[in-house]
Amino acid sequence: ENQRLRRELADRYQPSNIVGNSREMAPVYEMIGQVAQSDATVLIRGESGTGKELIAQAVHYGSRRSEGPFIRVNCAALPESLIESELFGHEKGAFSGAVQQRKGRFERASGGTIFLDEIGDMTQPTQTKILRVLQSGAFQRVGGNTPVTVDARVIAATNQPLEAAVAKKEFREDLFYRLNVFPIEMPPLRERRADIAPLAFAMLLRHVAKGDRVPWIGDAAIATLAEYPWPGNVRELENVMRRALLLSQGESEIGPEHIVFDMTARAVDKPAEAQPVAAAEGPAKLSKIVQ
């Protein structure tokens, strides 16, 4: 059962199954094919919401490590007081509450891949510890004295310009060069507009209730989606399409009156002439549905 599920995941995250055939995505697919079979460290760069984790999974499941674990770490979400224990584990009695030995995420990723998401938000003390693991492939659990050796491929991602952080001494230069062995740049959604329509349809298929008819996205709605600047990228598009399903209430076609963008982004970033035809109606209608 476990092997079957891993095979399904490997098939799902093949580059050919990633939605988006725009010219801007072609170099990304080519680079996935070039690096997947190696053990090279990969740094995926791009704005928030562009799908960096999806690319990391494509690299992992296209590699010889595909049968091994894929362990994700959100570096921005882990508090400094817990991050060392989370990454490297701890020994029994290492601190109050450590009632038994616990493996960290690096150790759990051995034989597979560890994905360090938003690594640009990692504090300098933790950067030093990550650098040590990349250099030696070993670490010590919190409260331990015995080195633990791991065989985990590292894929990192960031939405920050790390070169600028290095210049400001906010990010270690030596760690940057260790991570930037094979960089992959994810284009923002506004630069790959040919992918907006197929992505929107794929998101409808993902979120429509089982047994319900999948509505068609009309040309006017597609035009409304295409002219929006998408500051939240693919993640925002998914929110918009889930909202459109609620607003359409089982109608056969999604129109521009069902397209309601994130309020803050629309107010700040979207020009007035590009507003959806009935954008003002959308929030009130959504509120009525919820009530």
Side-chain angles (χ1 to χ4, degrees), residues 7-82:
R7 284 195 297 269
E8 289 179 1
L9 284 170
D11 291 340
R12 181 186 305 172
Y13 292 110
Q14 289 295 318
S16 59
N17 289 331
I18 298 175
V19 178
N21 294 313
S22 62
R23 180 181 58 187
E24 291 78 13
M25 285 296 291
V28 175
Y29 300 142
E30 183 179 357
M31 286 186 283
I32 292 172
Q34 290 170 340
V35 77
Q37 289 300 321
S38 75
D39 272 341
T41 303
V42 178
L43 179 62
I44 306 171
R45 310 180 70 165
E47 296 177 9
S48 180
T50 50
K52 297 186 289 295
E53 183 174 355
L54 186 64
I55 300 306
Q57 290 171 321
V59 172
H60 169 73
Y61 288 109
S63 75
R64 62 181 179 82
R65 296 175 176 270
S66 61
E67 295 293 321
F70 178 86
I71 304 296
R72 179 182 182 271
V73 181
N74 187 335
C75 300
L78 289 175
E80 182 62 26
S81 59
L82 295 178

Side-chain angles (χ1 to χ4, degrees), residues 14-271:
Q14 289 295 318
S16 59
N17 289 331
I18 298 175
V19 178
N21 294 313
S22 62
R23 180 181 58 187
E24 291 78 13
M25 285 296 291
V28 175
Y29 300 142
E30 183 179 357
M31 286 186 283
I32 292 172
Q34 290 170 340
V35 77
Q37 289 300 321
S38 75
D39 272 341
T41 303
V42 178
L43 179 62
I44 306 171
R45 310 180 70 165
E47 296 177 9
S48 180
T50 50
K52 297 186 289 295
E53 183 174 355
L54 186 64
I55 300 306
Q57 290 171 321
V59 172
H60 169 73
Y61 288 109
S63 75
R64 62 181 179 82
R65 296 175 176 270
S66 61
E67 295 293 321
F70 178 86
I71 304 296
R72 179 182 182 271
V73 181
N74 187 335
C75 300
L78 289 175
E80 182 62 26
S81 59
L82 295 178
I83 193 167
E84 187 174 1
S85 175
E86 282 292 322
L87 290 175
F88 308 119
H90 60 253
E91 298 289 353
K92 180 179 179 180
F95 49 82
S96 177
V99 296
Q100 61 184 6
Q101 184 192 80
R102 182 176 183 272
K103 292 182 178 181
R105 301 195 193 186
F106 264 98
E107 198 169 351
R108 286 160 47 202
S110 193
T113 301
I114 185 166
F115 175 51
L116 302 175
D117 197 11
E118 305 302 351
I119 198 166
D121 295 319
M122 186 175 282
T123 63
Q124 292 236 355
T126 307
Q127 291 175 30
T128 302
K129 295 180 177 72
I130 294 294
L131 176 63
R132 192 176 301 129
V133 178
L134 290 175
Q135 289 173 333
S136 65
F139 57 88
Q140 291 179 352
R141 299 189 191 101
V142 177
N145 298 314
T146 305
V148 178
T149 302
V150 293
D151 173 28
R153 181 187 196 161
V154 174
I155 301 178
T158 182
N159 59 8
Q160 299 186 22
L162 291 185
E163 294 87 347
V166 168
K168 295 177 183 177
K169 308 296 184 183
E170 296 172 354
F171 197 86
R172 290 188 61 120
E173 184 177 15
D174 44 5
L175 177 57
F176 170 71
Y177 287 118
R178 281 276 179 179
L179 294 171
N180 201 40
V181 175
F182 195 93
I184 297 178
E185 190 76 28
M186 279 296 290
L189 188 56
R190 62 183 173 275
E191 293 179 5
R192 43 184 288 222
R193 294 185 183 274
D195 292 334
I196 291 175
L199 280 168
F201 278 110
M203 289 164 182
L204 285 183
L205 287 171
R206 184 185 307 169
H207 294 295
V208 71
K210 187 176 181 180
D212 285 357
R213 179 180 177 183
V214 181
W216 181 254
I217 308 177
D219 291 343
I222 292 292
T224 300
L225 294 171
E227 64 189 9
Y228 182 64
W230 297 110
N233 291 293
V234 178
R235 188 177 298 132
E236 184 182 2
L237 176 60
E238 184 162 20
N239 290 342
V240 169
M241 297 318 298
R242 294 183 73 175
R243 195 176 294 143
L245 274 174
L246 282 172
L247 293 172
S248 62
Q249 297 188 78
E251 295 178 27
S252 61
E253 181 173 307
I254 289 177
E257 68 275 14
H258 304 131
I259 305 298
V260 180
F261 300 106
D262 290 351
M263 299 297 102
T264 303
R266 187 175 63 196
V268 173
D269 297 305
K270 192 176 184 192

